[in-house]
Amino acid sequence: ENETAANLLPHLFEIGTELLIDAMPDLVSGKITMDTAKAQDEDAVVHADMIDSSEAEFRPWEESATAMHNRLRGFSMWPGAFLYLQVGETEPTKYKILETRVIKETSDPTEEVVPGPTKKDGLRLVCYDGSILEINRLQPATKKPVDALSFVNGLQGRTVRWVKTPELVET
């Protein structure tokens, strides 16, 4: 539920290494060769485009909290999930989202991102469908990562809103 690509990759390396070590004697003895290997079913081949960094953007105007949480998990190594936030009347800034969790409750959709009810809670982002994503760690562009409480403490009463990608707003 919360495992990320960065956490999963070492585990997959272990499994692959064990399988390769198990297969090595048959490779060395000649039992496994290109002639005895099972051919790939060419009809089952699926083309996958190169990952583009824009795919890592959170889009609360069209995605659920679960979809965004899973996007963070999948893109944790590269390129990292991100969202544009507007703090007060400033220009929207790109924030890398580092840690989230899906909240079980729902709310009316809003563009405002608000702190949770207690100081231990993160920032609550309500998606188009009313699902809620809690942002626990984030990183403003060119700055150090901060936890949600530190981010809230730095707001000085200003409101925070998620905004659509600046390129999307201009079209």
Side-chain angles (χ1 to χ4, degrees):
E1 180 177 304
N2 289 316
E3 190 164 39
T4 65
N7 301 114
L8 182 59
L9 189 60
H11 179 66
L12 294 176
F13 277 143
E14 284 180 31
I15 292 170
T17 300
E18 289 174 19
L19 290 171
L20 182 59
I21 290 169
D22 289 345
M24 286 302 283
D26 289 339
L27 284 167
V28 171
S29 72
K31 185 176 179 183
I32 297 176
T33 66
M34 292 301 287
D35 295 328
T36 61
K38 181 178 176 186
Q40 179 175 314
D41 180 0
E42 294 297 325
D43 292 332
V45 173
V46 178
H47 174 75
D49 292 330
M50 291 287 288
I51 294 172
D52 185 86
S53 60
S54 65
E55 294 176 62
E57 181 177 9
F58 281 5
R59 297 173 178 253
W61 59 92
E62 65 185 24
E63 296 178 326
S64 70
T66 300
M68 290 189 298
H69 177 68
N70 289 339
R71 173 168 284 111
L72 170 76
R73 294 170 54 219
F75 289 123
S76 65
M77 292 176 64
W78 185 89
F82 66 93
L83 174 70
Y84 286 91
L85 295 175
Q86 182 176 19
V87 178
E89 299 300 318
T90 63
E91 287 292 316
T93 301
K94 185 176 182 178
Y95 283 79
K96 189 171 185 179
I97 308 302
L98 303 171
E99 184 181 320
T100 63
R101 74 181 180 110
V102 177
I103 303 295
K104 299 216 185 291
E105 59 199 60
T106 59
S107 182
D108 291 332
T110 179
E111 294 175 1
E112 194 168 338
V113 180
V114 297
T118 72
K119 288 189 176 194
K120 291 183 180 180
D121 294 324
L123 298 164
R124 303 285 172 98
L125 183 153
V126 182
C127 302
Y128 83 101
D129 63 352
S131 61
I132 302 173
L133 184 71
E134 183 177 81
I135 300 171
N136 296 311
R137 287 184 49 79
L138 65 165
Q139 181 177 6
T142 72
K143 300 203 176 156
K144 293 182 178 180
V146 294
D147 59 35
L149 179 60
S150 298
F151 180 79
V152 170
N153 287 342
L155 290 176
Q156 301 171 343
R158 297 176 292 176
T159 59
V160 179
R161 299 185 179 285
W162 59 259
V163 295
K164 287 187 177 182
T165 311
E167 296 84 35
L168 291 177
V169 173
E170 293 168 4
T171 58

